[in-house]
């Protein structure tokens, strides 16, 4: 993330025990989850390593019902979906370069 966004995320996360990630409910949103986590986990409280401290909210609209349902069904960020975005970006770059030569 750009430095001002990175710094803002770190300020907000400093000293936190838990984080709930509310990002787009697609693979790109999953990828951004891990970018955010890379930025904030160093400044979060370490706490009990056995206890889950990172949660992922999944929702499809910003309605009262969907927000409550998402909060009541928190999960974990999906690392495999995030990696699939990285792979697609790499392929797009390589294939795009091949076509422009």
């Amino acid at each position: 993330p750009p430095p001002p966004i990175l710094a803002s995320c770190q300020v907000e996360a400093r000293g936190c025990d838990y984080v709930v990630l509310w990002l787009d409910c697609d693979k790109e949103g999953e990828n951004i989850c891990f970018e955010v986590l890379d930025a904030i986990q160093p400044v979060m409280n370490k706490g009990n390593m056995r206890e889950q401290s990172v949660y992922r909210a999944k929702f499809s609209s910003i309605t009262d019902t969907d927000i409550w349902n998402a909060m009541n069904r928190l999960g974990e960020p999906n690392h495999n979906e995030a990696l699939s975005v990285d792979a697609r970006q790499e392929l797009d770059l390589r294939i795009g370069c091949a076509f422009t030569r």
Side-chain angles (χ1 to χ4, degrees), residues 25-65:
C25 192
D26 58 15
K27 289 182 180 184
E28 284 76 14
E30 273 330 283
N31 193 266
I32 295 168
C33 283
F34 288 94
E35 289 181 9
V36 170
L37 289 173
D38 287 344
I40 67 171
Q41 281 184 318
V43 300
M44 288 179 63
N45 289 338
K46 301 300 179 227
N48 182 350
M49 296 305 281
R50 292 180 174 207
E51 188 176 313
Q52 184 177 349
S53 62
V54 176
Y55 296 91
R56 175 77 162 103
K58 294 196 175 188
F59 58 100
S60 56
S61 68
I62 305 176
T63 64
D64 205 33
T65 302

Side-chain angles (χ1 to χ4, degrees), residues 30 79 91:
E30 273 330 283
H79 197 249
L91 286 171

Side-chain angles (χ1 to χ4, degrees), residues 87-101:
R88 183 193 46 78
Q89 289 173 347
E90 182 71 22
L91 286 171
D92 287 350
L93 177 66
R94 290 176 185 264
I95 292 168
C97 287
F99 280 123
T100 58
R101 289 188 179 178

